Amino acid sequence: MSARVVVLISGTGSTMAALLEAAQDPGYGAAVVAVGSDRESAAGLALAEKAGVPVFTEPFRGRAERAAWNAELASRIASYRPDLVVSAGFMRILGREVLDVAPVVNLHPALLPSFPGAHAVRDALAHGVRVTGSTVHFVDEGVDTGPVIDQVAVRVEPGDDEEALHERIKAVERRLLVETVGRLAREGWRLEGRHVRPGAAGNERAEENR
């Protein structure tokens, strides 16, 4: 049985679209069962609907109501009984309420732990690094502090600006996320400290969620 995946987006959903395409292969091991967003105007919602995937929105209402928003988002996600939640360009910090529903996987445009936060590409350029890249990691309650699952390096070329570098990172990170989600779904995983190891523990948790 394929692992059930809920994808969270805030914008165009290009990475989500790559996951939807991969999930059409029965051997991929994961099925996208819903796409959610914090923005009713997110263009990726229309893409998901066109693909026949249920969508939902839970608009963010401000810091003062963050706990209530997290609880409502958690409830919406839980209704789809996911084995994994994938944050694919979802620009909100998720609270414990959401993290307790299912493991959350996030894609970040830098080689963590370097350059966490919302301006990773800009920060890497400002620091003058020669190599940056993309990281797939599990989400915890910090900002890009969860255990690293996989990473791919991208060289910073002379004359790069933020847009050019980010586009080259995007070209590799979609493939990285698709490969990582499929591997987690097919093989499971276990955590040893901060090390993510292949194994059955993730699959066992997935069975418990069903």
Side-chain angles (χ1 to χ4, degrees):
M1 183 179 295
S2 294
R4 298 172 62 86
V5 177
V6 171
V7 182
L8 301 178
I9 62 172
S10 289
T12 61
S14 58
T15 304
M16 172 212 68
L19 283 170
L20 290 175
E21 182 177 358
Q24 293 178 5
D25 180 355
Y28 180 60
V32 178
V33 296
V35 173
S37 181
D38 58 330
R39 301 173 182 173
E40 295 179 352
S41 61
L45 294 175
L47 289 176
E49 287 186 310
K50 186 176 181 179
V53 176
V55 302
F56 65 90
T57 58
E58 193 61 53
F60 185 72
R61 292 179 297 279
R63 293 179 183 273
E65 299 183 36
R66 184 181 297 275
W69 176 80
N70 268 288
E72 291 169 11
L73 179 63
S75 178
R76 300 293 294 276
I77 294 171
S79 70
Y80 294 98
R81 298 180 293 111
D83 303 312
L84 279 175
V85 176
V86 176
S87 173
F90 190 66
M91 304 304 292
R92 302 291 178 190
I93 297 174
L94 299 173
R96 175 50 55 189
E97 300 91 341
V98 175
L99 302 182
D100 283 344
V101 173
V104 181
V105 174
N106 184 51
L107 187 64
H108 184 74
L111 296 176
L112 295 173
S114 297
F115 312 117
H119 305 294
V121 179
R122 182 191 311 172
D123 293 344
L125 282 171
H127 202 77
V129 298
R130 295 293 183 264
V131 176
T132 185
S134 180
T135 300
V136 179
H137 66 99
F138 284 118
V139 176
D140 60 16
E141 291 184 88
V143 178
D144 300 323
T145 55
V148 170
I149 306 169
D150 205 352
Q151 294 178 306
V152 171
V154 174
R155 285 201 61 82
V156 180
E157 302 293 347
D160 266 345
D161 59 15
E162 184 177 354
E163 181 179 2
L165 178 56
H166 204 174
E167 285 303 314
R168 288 210 312 285
I169 293 173
K170 288 178 181 178
V172 302
E173 69 181 4
R174 295 187 188 105
R175 182 173 66 252
L176 174 64
L177 183 65
V178 167
E179 291 174 353
T180 301
V181 169
R183 186 169 67 249
L184 292 173
R186 293 188 302 272
E187 300 177 9
W189 70 92
R190 63 186 186 277
L191 282 175
E192 298 176 359
R194 289 189 58 83
H195 296 276
V196 181
R197 310 293 192 193
N203 284 346
E204 291 167 0
R205 179 168 181 176
E207 290 299 325
E208 292 173 1
N209 285 342
R210 292 199 174 101

